[in-house]
Amino acid sequence: MLQGHGDDGYLYKQELAADFSTNVWYGGAPDGLKEHLFQQWEKVQRYPEVLAESLREKIAGFYGFSTENILVTNGSTESIYLVAQAFQQSRSTITIPAFAEYEDACRIFQHQLSFLSWAELENETLPDTDLLFICNPNNPTGAVFTALELAITNNPEILFIVDEAFIEFTFSVTSVIDLVSKYDNLIVLRSMTKAYAIPGLRLGYIAAGTSLIERLSSYKMPWSVNTLAIAAGHYIFDHYEKLQFPAAQVLADKTDFVNALADSPLTVYPSHTHFFLARTNRYTAAALKQFLLKEFNILIRDAGNFRGLTESHLRIATLNKSKNQLLINALAEWKHI
C-alpha cells in the first residue's frame, strides 16, 4: 500500500493546525539529536555500514543479547518485508485489524493468507498456520494481548511475528523481547521512529534467535540503514534513560481527551495506547476527514482501509491539550452539518 497510511499531510497544500493522523509521539525528536546529526554530516560522503554493525552491537549489548540476536532495519516496514521474503509461500495468518503492510508483504511473496480477529486471538482460537502476525499493542485499535507467552509456549509449530512498534505507548502489556533467547518460534519487530519522533529517518530492529536472524540476514539488502539513522540510533541508546518521553502524562491526556469526546458525534472505542479507534455517527470517515481539512486544517486518519473495519472508522492520536481542543470544537460543528 503506497498510499492510504496516516501522516499523509504532505498530500495537502495547506499548513495543518493539528495532525491527529500520525501516532508518532507529538513532542518531537529527543533533545540534542538534531545537533548530534549535524555533526555527523561529513560521514554521508562514505557508504554506511553494510548491516549497521556498530548499532547492532550496541542494541544487543543493551538487552544483554549476542549480536547474532539483532538485525537493524530501515524501519519496521523493512522488517515486515524481510520476514515475508524469508518465509515466502508460507501459510500466514494476520491478526486484524492490522497495519496493511503485513498483508501487502505476504502477497508479494506468495503467502497463503488467512485472517484472525482480535476476539478470536483472545479466545485462544489459533489457526493451523506457519506464521502468525500480531501487532501488540494493536494498530489501529490500541488493544493489547496479555497472554502472548502462553500462546507461544502452547503453539511451538507457529512462528509468532510480534510487532511492538507501539510498546512504549502503553503500561498494559510489557515487551516480549527478552523471550527471544527462550523460544525459537518468536520474532520481535521494534521501531525507533514512533517514541523518538524520527519516522523520516526510518530506523528499527528485529530481535530473534540466532538461526532466525541468520535466515533473515540472508535476504537483507546492503546499506539499507543510512549513516544518519545509524548515528541517531547510537545517540538514543547512549542517552536512553533521559530521552524517554512522558508516557504517563500522554496517557492521562488521552483519558481526558476521550472523556471530552463523549458528547461528540463519534463513538470512541477503548484503547491502551495514546491513539484510539473511533466511528463517526454521521456520514463517513472520509467525509469527516475532508470537512476537518477544509474548514479547520485538521487531519485525521481515515481507517476505512484497515481490513475488518468500515468506512465509518477513523483513528485519532492524542496531541497536546490545546490541539485536542481544536478537534473537540471542530467535531461540535460536524455534529450540526
Side-chain angles (χ1 to χ4, degrees), residues 273-318:
T273 60
H274 71 303
F275 60 86
F276 51 91
L277 194 66
R279 186 184 74 243
T280 176
N281 300 322
R282 295 173 56 80
Y283 309 111
T284 65
L288 174 57
K289 178 179 178 178
Q290 291 306 312
F291 168 78
L292 292 172
L293 274 170
K294 180 180 178 181
E295 302 296 332
F296 298 95
N297 294 324
I298 290 173
L299 185 61
I300 59 169
R301 170 66 155 98
D302 175 3
N305 64 338
F306 282 92
R307 183 180 288 273
L309 300 183
T310 73
E311 63 180 9
S312 297
H313 285 96
L314 57 137
R315 190 192 67 201
I316 299 172
T318 302

Side-chain angles (χ1 to χ4, degrees), residues 222-243:
W223 309 304
S224 71
V225 183
N226 71 68
T227 296
L228 295 183
I230 293 171
H234 276 285
Y235 184 86
I236 289 168
F237 277 99
D238 285 342
H239 304 86
Y240 190 83
E241 294 300 328
K242 73 174 186 178
L243 296 185

Side-chain angles (χ1 to χ4, degrees), residues 67-79:
T67 55
E68 285 72 28
N69 292 124
I70 296 292
L71 191 61
V72 182
T73 60
N74 185 281
S76 291
T77 301
E78 186 193 9
S79 301

Side-chain angles (χ1 to χ4, degrees), residues 5-252:
H5 296 97
D7 197 14
D8 60 353
Y10 70 94
L11 297 174
Y12 308 100
K13 294 182 179 180
Q14 73 260 45
E15 182 178 351
L16 295 175
D19 184 357
F20 296 91
S21 75
T22 173
N23 38 25
V24 170
W25 155 237
Y26 70 78
D31 290 342
L33 177 59
K34 181 170 70 172
E35 293 76 14
H36 176 72
L37 294 184
F38 285 169
Q39 294 170 8
Q40 311 301 311
W41 179 251
E42 289 187 359
K43 293 182 180 180
V44 304
Q45 297 175 59
R46 302 189 63 174
Y47 281 91
E49 300 165 15
V50 173
L51 289 175
E53 288 91 343
S54 64
L55 182 56
R56 180 185 189 186
E57 182 177 355
K58 182 161 290 181
I59 295 171
F62 178 83
Y63 289 108
F65 292 159
S66 163
T67 55
E68 285 72 28
N69 292 124
I70 296 292
L71 191 61
V72 182
T73 60
N74 185 281
S76 291
T77 301
E78 186 193 9
S79 301
I80 293 165
Y81 280 78
L82 272 177
V83 170
Q85 184 177 13
F87 295 92
Q88 54 194 287
Q89 299 183 347
S90 295
R91 298 173 305 150
S92 294
T93 301
I94 300 171
T95 307
I96 58 172
F99 186 42
E101 300 303 334
Y102 309 137
E103 181 175 349
D104 290 351
C106 286
R107 291 198 184 281
I108 287 174
F109 294 105
Q110 300 178 326
H111 289 232
Q112 301 173 44
L113 278 176
S114 61
F115 301 93
L116 182 74
S117 73
W118 197 263
E120 291 174 309
L121 177 67
E122 292 181 330
N123 290 333
E124 301 181 12
T125 310
L126 300 188
D128 180 16
T129 191
D130 299 322
L131 276 65
L132 178 60
F133 287 82
I134 301 173
C135 186
N136 197 35
N138 179 264
N139 174 29
T141 67
V144 297
F145 182 52
T146 57
L148 195 47
E149 184 172 7
L150 181 62
I152 294 167
T153 302
N154 290 341
N155 298 274
E157 73 286 355
I158 297 176
L159 179 58
F160 287 77
I161 316 300
V162 181
D163 185 349
E164 294 187 340
F166 302 99
I167 196 69
E168 294 93 348
F169 293 91
T170 187
F171 295 121
S172 299
V173 69
T174 56
S175 174
V176 294
I177 197 167
D178 290 339
L179 301 180
V180 300
S181 57
K182 183 178 179 181
Y183 297 100
D184 59 7
N185 62 326
L186 172 63
I187 294 176
V188 178
L189 313 183
R190 294 295 296 265
S191 170
M192 294 186 68
T193 64
K194 310 298 190 301
Y196 302 105
I198 52 171
L201 280 178
R202 313 305 307 132
L203 185 61
Y205 54 97
I206 302 171
T210 56
S211 62
L212 289 169
I213 292 294
E214 183 178 0
R215 181 169 180 170
L216 294 169
S217 297
S218 68
Y219 290 91
K220 194 177 191 305
M221 61 178 274
W223 309 304
S224 71
V225 183
N226 71 68
T227 296
L228 295 183
I230 293 171
H234 276 285
Y235 184 86
I236 289 168
F237 277 99
D238 285 342
H239 304 86
Y240 190 83
E241 294 300 328
K242 73 174 186 178
L243 296 185
Q244 302 310 299
F245 74 100
Q249 183 60 57
V250 174
L251 290 171

